[in-house]
Amino acid sequence: MAAFFIVTKGKHPFGEKPDRLRNLLDDKPVGLHALKNPILKDLLSWMLSHDPNDRPSAEEALKHPYLHPKKQQFEMLCKMGNQQEIKAGESNSAVVRRLNSDPTDWKTRMSPNVLKYLCTDFKSGKPKPFSYKSSWTDCLRLIRNVNQKWLDRSRPMPQPEAFYEVGNPQEYFLNLFPNLLVEVHRIVRSCDWKERPDLKEYFTKGANEERNPGNAVVIQEGEPAAGANEERNPRNAVVIQEREPAAGDPSKYFYVSVNSMYQSESDTDDFQVNSLASANQIRKTYLVTYSQADLRIFPTRQSFGEQVATYFDEGTGKVKVEHWACCQESHENSGVHYHMSLKLDGAKRWKQVKEKMMKNHVVVLHFSNAHDNYHSAYQSVTKQDTEVFLSPNHPNLNVIGSPRTKTCIRAFRESRKRKQNENANAQQEKAKKIRRLSNFEVSEFLVANQIKSETELLALADTQSKEGKKDLANFILCRSNKAIQELIDNTWRLQNARAKLDRKKKSRIDLLRDARSAECVDGCNGEWIKCAREVLKNNNIHPVVFASALKDILTKGRGKFRNVMLVGCACSGKTFLLDPLCLLCVGI
């Protein structure tokens, strides 16, 4: 109960006080229905078993998949698929029968292209001589086979679309079949399979002592690693240290070319020439470049950005990443580059991040110090790529009005002409004038970002100002509070004018039809009509008679014998019946 109390932030697993004792005696932990995570629900349900003998010990509970990293969860499924009874599909096995008791066809959850791709031989590219059935034991076989053969597949460029849809097999299968992990663990923990040597580590104590202390994954033959890793590395192997991958990061399962270890530091583009940061320099803002990116290692902007941010966040230091943006640019000859603007909440060196990327992914990064603030680095990243990926907590730094890149080019050309002109002084005074935002530009910005209050606008202006973009803050400070509020009000009056005009042209009966086809307001869920009929029934009024009277008065207007008056005692539902019509006809 304590675990449920903590997870649900103070709720009781057996409901509220009036029904709690009855639910407890009847073994009905009604609170479990509110949990959306099936793995967590299974753990708590196991711990709340009515019979104390059915509950797990502390050691058994700590071995539940919910408390394991995703890598270990996926390993358990793969090892289940490697059991002889599973591979042979022995129907006389109780575990096989229980697994296949669910008639759901797992193939229907996968797209046909992905299923076809996973059922082909990764080396030859030809279909496998056998096919997978719709049973869940065959699903475990597929998971085990994909995990074993994923690194052996051929690597033509570009890869099939199904390859990118799978991305990281671990993330793909765990997200596609979230209940499979729960069902496998529930079945195995109740039988003697949990004592098998290859499954024992997931169910009994001492499992971690039997596992590889390095938790290394061999990905490609090459020179043996140096240093502390020599004791646990297999001979002539490059390894990746175990870690929990970021969402969408398939780096563990991508082929790493050892030749890329020798990529030249000078293989950069004009994006950051002569601006490489010193390894000992401490900064809060960086511009990171991955030149000639290998899309087999980082196929998307998101995967590259999340990996760099993860390495900056690692360690015991307090400095963490605030936000970042990542773009992809095509090289003038061939290939692509990744450029990433990144801001930390304090100063930090980049050397450790570069070493980790080289050690774990054989990727060479370049760090630029050409930008003094984040907004400047962000503009460099977003100047060409229209599909820049932003971190979830990234501030809104959208340009208001025309792009500043064109203004900079125009200013440079005018400055060059002024140096050749005898009237340079007069023209320089004109150039010094700061370009200010117009009311119309700010109005368009308000609509584009759905800003409807002065507080929202002030907060956004403050965020942009801290990132070095001060034009919106300058606009606000040069105007009174009344002028800013009038601008916001007039903007939305202008935006909503057409809708109000169209509404005024409709009759009340048309508005009623529109409301009927629209969705219910929040909290209604279709219950109003049930309550309205009950109110009419309690007052001996037939619903058809009431509806006909309302239709006449809405269609023809008020007149003799066409008035609707509800008479009754207090709290009889009169206001409840007519309030929706009043709200519907406001402004008509």
Side-chain angles (χ1 to χ4, degrees):
M1 290 189 184
F4 185 92
F5 184 88
I6 294 172
V7 169
T8 57
K9 299 181 180 179
K11 295 184 179 179
H12 197 283
F14 290 93
E16 301 300 328
K17 284 187 177 181
D19 304 318
R20 186 173 298 168
L21 183 58
R22 181 182 298 276
N23 291 334
L24 188 61
L25 295 174
D26 294 342
D27 188 22
K28 293 181 179 179
V30 294
L32 291 175
H33 301 313
L35 299 177
K36 297 181 180 180
N37 188 328
I39 308 178
L40 174 60
K41 185 184 293 186
D42 177 68
L43 172 60
L44 294 179
S45 176
W46 190 20
M47 297 169 70
L48 291 170
S49 298
H50 193 66
D51 187 348
N53 296 324
D54 294 336
R55 299 171 193 164
S57 65
E59 295 173 354
E60 290 174 328
L62 290 173
K63 287 296 179 181
H64 194 274
Y66 180 74
L67 302 175
H68 289 174
K70 289 187 177 181
K71 181 179 185 298
Q72 197 168 344
Q73 295 175 1
F74 189 64
E75 284 178 355
M76 187 184 75
L77 292 180
C78 294
K79 291 185 179 180
M80 272 295 294
N82 201 37
Q83 302 301 308
Q84 183 59 37
E85 295 88 341
I86 300 293
K87 292 192 289 186
E90 297 180 5
S91 58
N92 59 343
S93 170
V95 173
V96 173
R97 290 198 303 270
R98 290 181 64 182
L99 282 172
N100 294 333
S101 61
D102 183 358
T104 307
D105 187 353
W106 57 270
K107 295 182 181 180
T108 58
R109 301 186 185 180
M110 303 175 67
S111 67
N113 291 337
V114 171
L115 182 60
K116 181 179 178 181
Y117 177 72
L118 296 180
C119 292
T120 57
D121 187 278
F122 288 147
K123 287 187 176 180
S124 64
K126 298 180 181 180
K128 294 181 179 179
F130 59 88
S131 60
Y132 294 99
K133 300 178 182 178
S134 60
S135 63
W136 286 102
T137 51
D138 272 34
C139 179
L140 290 171
R141 286 178 54 214
L142 173 67
I143 293 174
R144 171 258 187 192
N145 291 338
V146 169
N147 181 58
Q148 288 190 343
K149 305 295 183 181
W150 187 251
L151 295 178
D152 297 335
R153 68 193 183 286
S154 58
R155 297 175 179 84
M157 292 299 291
Q159 290 280 354
E161 183 179 350
F163 167 79
Y164 298 105
E165 187 174 343
V166 175
N168 183 338
Q170 171 183 298
E171 295 285 343
Y172 178 78
F173 284 114
L174 290 179
N175 293 334
L176 188 65
F177 306 118
N179 292 318
L180 179 60
L181 182 69
V182 173
E183 193 62 28
V184 167
H185 192 272
R186 183 186 296 124
I187 293 173
V188 174
R189 75 191 182 213
S190 62
C191 67
D192 58 355
W193 279 34
K194 64 183 178 182
E195 300 297 334
R196 294 190 175 187
D198 52 346
L199 297 177
K200 188 176 181 180
E201 61 180 296
Y202 305 105
F203 296 93
T204 59
K205 184 180 179 181
N208 289 335
E209 299 173 0
E210 301 172 5
R211 303 184 66 194
N212 175 15
N215 292 331
V217 181
V218 180
I219 58 173
Q220 172 68 17
E221 290 186 356
E223 293 297 324
N229 291 332
E230 290 180 351
E231 299 179 0
R232 59 174 182 256
N233 281 353
R235 182 171 177 79
N236 296 327
V238 178
V239 302
I240 295 178
Q241 298 299 323
E242 177 182 330
R243 58 175 177 77
E244 189 67 12
D249 178 9
S251 56
K252 278 191 182 180
Y253 300 88
F254 280 76
Y255 170 84
V256 178
S257 173
V258 177
N259 293 332
S260 62
M261 289 179 63
Y262 307 104
Q263 182 181 7
S264 172
E265 286 270 357
S266 60
D267 185 18
T268 60
D269 58 356
D270 293 337
F271 193 89
Q272 48 147 22
V273 171
N274 300 325
S275 62
L276 295 179
S278 169
N280 295 321
Q281 189 174 16
I282 302 177
R283 294 176 59 85
K284 293 180 63 175
T285 299
Y286 285 106
L287 184 63
V288 187
T289 299
Y290 176 22
S291 185
Q292 292 294 338
D294 188 344
L295 297 182
R296 294 167 295 186
I297 302 175
F298 297 113
T300 63
R301 303 164 180 81
Q302 179 182 0
S303 62
F304 174 71
E306 288 179 342
Q307 188 60 74
V308 174
T310 298
Y311 285 159
F312 264 107
D313 284 339
E314 286 180 353
T316 58
K318 296 181 180 180
V319 176
K320 303 297 180 183
V321 175
E322 282 191 357
H323 46 261
W324 53 268
C326 184
C327 77
Q328 184 186 95
E329 289 187 3
S330 300
H331 193 269
E332 57 183 2
N333 296 325
S334 63
V336 297
H337 302 319
Y338 283 132
H339 300 300
M340 175 181 176
S341 59
L342 179 140
K343 183 179 180 182
L344 308 170
D345 58 7
K348 190 174 186 178
R349 292 184 175 89
W350 54 263
K351 185 177 180 180
Q352 185 179 7
V353 176
K354 183 170 184 175
E355 290 175 349
K356 287 183 179 180
M357 288 293 285
M358 184 63 188
K359 178 181 178 181
N360 296 339
H361 306 287
V362 201
V363 167
V364 178
L365 296 184
H366 306 283
F367 293 81
S368 170
N369 61 358
H371 301 276
D372 294 329
N373 59 66
Y374 181 77
H375 181 243
S376 175
Y378 173 78
Q379 281 188 313
S380 298
V381 168
T382 58
K383 64 182 180 182
Q384 293 184 12
D385 193 355
T386 58
E387 298 180 0
V388 176
F389 186 88
L390 305 179
S391 60
N393 56 341
H394 197 281
N396 188 336
L397 298 178
N398 294 336
V399 176
I400 304 176
S402 60
R404 294 298 186 269
T405 52
K406 296 180 180 178
T407 306
C408 293
I409 295 173
R410 185 167 57 251
F412 171 77
R413 292 173 179 173
E414 291 177 358
S415 176
R416 186 172 56 184
K417 291 179 180 179
R418 283 194 297 271
K419 294 178 182 178
Q420 301 173 355
N421 197 321
E422 295 180 358
N423 300 324
N425 292 335
Q427 293 182 5
Q428 286 177 358
E429 291 296 328
K430 182 178 180 180
K432 288 180 181 178
K433 185 176 180 180
I434 300 175
R435 181 187 180 278
R436 299 185 184 278
L437 298 174
S438 67
N439 286 357
F440 184 74
E441 289 176 329
V442 176
S443 177
E444 288 183 325
F445 182 75
L446 294 175
V447 175
N449 293 275
Q450 293 295 306
I451 297 175
K452 298 185 179 182
S453 70
E454 184 180 0
T455 303
E456 291 178 297
L457 183 60
L458 292 174
L460 181 55
D462 179 63
T463 301
Q464 292 189 351
S465 179
K466 290 179 180 178
E467 303 298 338
K469 190 174 184 295
K470 303 180 182 297
D471 50 356
L472 182 58
N474 185 55
F475 176 88
I476 295 174
L477 294 175
C478 292
R479 286 161 176 78
S480 64
N481 294 344
K482 182 179 179 181
I484 296 296
Q485 189 60 51
E486 286 182 351
L487 175 62
I488 296 174
D489 294 341
N490 291 334
T491 294
W492 290 107
R493 274 200 293 269
L494 183 66
Q495 185 71 15
N496 299 327
R498 173 56 59 185
K500 287 186 177 181
L501 183 60
D502 293 341
R503 179 182 173 87
K504 283 182 176 293
K505 293 180 180 179
K506 292 183 179 182
S507 64
R508 289 183 172 88
I509 197 68
D510 290 335
L511 293 175
L512 190 61
R513 291 193 183 100
D514 292 344
R516 181 182 181 184
S517 60
E519 295 182 358
C520 289
V521 298
D522 294 340
C524 178
N525 300 322
E527 296 295 328
W528 184 89
I529 187 65
K530 298 178 183 178
C531 296
R533 288 175 176 171
E534 185 177 347
V535 169
L536 292 174
K537 181 180 179 181
N538 292 340
N539 290 276
N540 297 322
I541 301 175
H542 198 282
V544 176
V545 175
F546 182 73
S548 299
L550 287 181
K551 180 181 178 182
D552 287 344
I553 195 171
L554 290 174
T555 305
K556 302 176 182 178
R558 294 180 60 187
K560 193 172 183 180
F561 305 117
R562 281 202 308 272
N563 293 321
V564 176
M565 180 178 296
L566 296 182
V567 180
C569 60
C571 301
S572 60
K574 304 186 295 297
T575 305
F576 174 77
L577 290 174
L578 294 181
D579 258 1
L581 288 176
C582 296
L583 295 174
L584 187 64
C585 298
V586 169
I588 300 299

